[in-house]
Amino acid sequence: MKVSGSHIRIPKLGWVRMREPLRFSGKIMSATVSRTADRWFVSITVDTDDPPRRPAENQGVVGVDVGVAALATLSTGETIPGPKPHTALLKRLRRLSRSLSRKQKGSRNRARARRKLARLHARTANIRQDALHKLTSKLTSELTRRFHTIVIEDLNVRGMLANRRLARSIADMGWGEFRRQLEYKAARRGGLVVAADRFFASSRTCSACGHQLEVLPLSVRRWRCRACGILHDRDVNAARNLLAYGLAVLNGSTASSAGCQACGEEGSGGGRKAVVKPASTKQEVSFVPA
Amino acid sequence: MLTAHRIALDPNNRQSTWLARAAGTARFAWNWALDEWQRQYAAWKADNRRPRPSEAALRRQLNAIKREQFPWMLEVTKCAPQMAIMQLGRAFGNFFAGRARYPKFRRKGVDDRFTLSND
Ligand SMILES: [Zn+2]
């Protein structure tokens, strides 16, 4: 097996065209050829020197709230809308599924309907993947490398998917994949991803005064704090709380990163445990809270 | 550092047929090895003097019989069946380590794939 420009040589088959040249240099370890819908792909594993990436320039911290309405809301107030490809293409999906179910088993028409449906599913997945990669890359690198530390929620995604009213919207956002990408991309740059405790009340705590609401229904997008009177956007408030959480975690554990306690949080008492994924590279966080 | 790059292929008709056959060969080898593994494992359970199944032994076994029993395997790259069995070995490793579920049989049209090694 050999790669040359936009071609790959597969033994016994010969040269096959690829859509783009291999982006990495180094020893090629293996290649897996796979099929998605009716397209073939090759995944080439390269043993490459760790590409030099510029680390985060300053020590900025950001809280990121993932949601159903917007894919992500940053503590700076920025929102990143999600494409919701499944919701958008649901009509077509229904039509094709129905069309498939009406075809006789084993027929050519059925095979064709199946291919059409498979292509639509692949398209949905591609749109979602594109949006997630753009967002996580933006957070870890592009955004002028503002953020060294990214604070997110530790979501019980599987549990939330059990809610049949919300499952479709949640699955359409791809929260689990978002976190996975964020963690590996941050690690490549020596950044830090802090996951807030699962029971951290990020949405229903006032980010200005710390007042905590008993309940906050999902339908409430904005609310006014009874204690200090500030009007909150639900998602921005949550992101700000996550930011505060991250700052507390980092201050409580200077230098030693893993398994620290978040202190200074009001609420149900007892130190909350935070999951801090240390980067694989050197980890000397000389942290200056913003 | 290992980095993977996934690139779309533009095979012509002849080539995509070949790719599908290679994927089919890999699937067959996986299923054959999984079946054989289960049989040998049961035999070992019953009688501890029998050899325990292993990925390397299964590869040797397939190499010994494929010329007579599965001559069509030789039409695609030898990597396809070989890597499939190596991957099965890894799947069992993951299973025994508690990281994954018990390996399943593969089905045509679902996740068609094969792997080439570079040596
Ligand atoms: Zn308040």
Side-chain angles (χ1 to χ4, degrees), chain A residues 205-212 223-230 232:
Chain A
T205 306
C206 172
S207 56
C209 70
H211 178 72
Q212 203 174 31
W223 55 282
R224 191 176 290 281
C225 175
R226 255 172 289 162
C228 68
I230 282 185
H232 285 300

Side-chain angles (χ1 to χ4, degrees), chain A residues 6-26:
Chain A
S6 296
H7 290 80
I8 181 169
R9 193 186 155 78
I10 295 176
K12 284 205 176 176
L13 177 62
W15 293 97
V16 181
R17 272 178 57 188
M18 298 192 296
R19 286 291 172 90
E20 64 167 336
L22 187 62
R23 283 187 213 167
F24 304 97
S25 59

Side-chain angles (χ1 to χ4, degrees), chain A residues 52-287:
Chain A
R53 286 167 214 275
R54 270 192 286 164
E57 265 159 23
N58 56 31
Q59 305 289 330
V61 183
V62 69
V64 181
D65 176 66
V66 292
V68 172
L71 175 50
T73 308
L74 310 190
S75 50
T76 55
E78 286 164 85
T79 52
I80 292 103
K84 298 181 193 154
H86 183 266
T87 315
L89 295 172
L90 190 59
K91 254 189 175 167
R92 252 192 270 176
L93 192 68
R94 285 211 171 106
R95 196 165 158 252
L96 288 180
S97 306
R98 201 177 307 124
S99 149
L100 172 63
S101 77
R102 284 175 178 161
K103 303 288 186 289
Q104 192 167 24
K105 281 199 174 170
S107 72
R108 288 208 172 188
N109 277 332
R110 185 185 168 94
R112 195 162 56 197
R114 205 174 61 96
R115 276 200 297 276
K116 269 191 193 168
L117 183 61
R119 270 202 295 270
L120 185 63
H121 276 300
R123 183 177 158 76
T124 313
N126 286 345
I127 293 170
R128 187 178 301 128
Q129 197 188 24
D130 176 60
L132 282 174
H133 268 300
K134 277 178 182 159
L135 170 61
T136 48
S137 299
K138 188 178 166 183
L139 284 171
T140 52
S141 60
E142 251 169 50
L143 240 147
T144 58
R145 297 173 192 78
R146 286 194 298 195
F147 308 121
H148 176 268
T149 304
I150 299 162
V151 190
I152 53 170
E153 293 166 285
D154 175 28
L155 292 169
N156 177 14
V157 178
R158 185 177 296 173
M160 294 166 96
L161 284 175
N163 180 340
R164 27 148 80 188
R165 286 171 193 279
L166 286 173
R168 182 183 292 153
S169 317
I170 291 171
D172 212 6
M173 285 303 186
W175 291 343
E177 177 68 4
F178 167 74
R179 179 169 175 184
R180 187 191 73 81
Q181 286 182 13
L182 207 57
E183 276 169 356
Y184 88 78
K185 285 180 183 177
R188 279 202 305 214
R189 290 184 175 269
L192 205 60
V193 173
V194 178
D197 180 84
R198 203 158 266 197
F199 301 102
F200 177 58
S202 63
S203 291
R204 52 195 173 85
T205 306
C206 172
S207 56
C209 70
H211 178 72
Q212 203 174 31
L213 300 174
E214 287 299 311
V215 282
L216 183 65
L218 267 174
S219 57
V220 179
R221 305 313 309 168
R222 337 188 91 234
W223 55 282
R224 191 176 290 281
C225 175
R226 255 172 289 162
C228 68
I230 282 185
L231 185 66
H232 285 300
D233 176 276
R234 181 198 182 90
D235 297 333
V236 176
N237 179 54
R240 290 215 178 110
N241 281 323
L242 287 169
L243 170 65
Y245 183 100
L247 293 174
V249 167
L250 289 170
N251 285 338
S253 67
T254 31
S256 78
S257 50
C260 43
Q261 303 277 314
C263 327
E265 286 294 338
E266 70 295 323
S268 53
R272 291 193 184 88
K273 249 180 265 147
V275 193
V276 179
K277 272 241 167 157
S280 57
T281 46
K282 249 189 285 173
Q283 194 69 75
E284 276 142 18
V285 188
S286 57
F287 178 73

Side-chain angles (χ1 to χ4, degrees), chain A residues 33-41, chain B residues 6 109-113:
Chain A
V33 179
S34 60
R35 190 185 52 78
T36 304
D38 52 0
R39 266 181 133 182
W40 288 95
F41 294 87
Chain B
R6 189 167 183 252
V110 180
D111 251 337
D112 289 339
R113 63 191 187 273

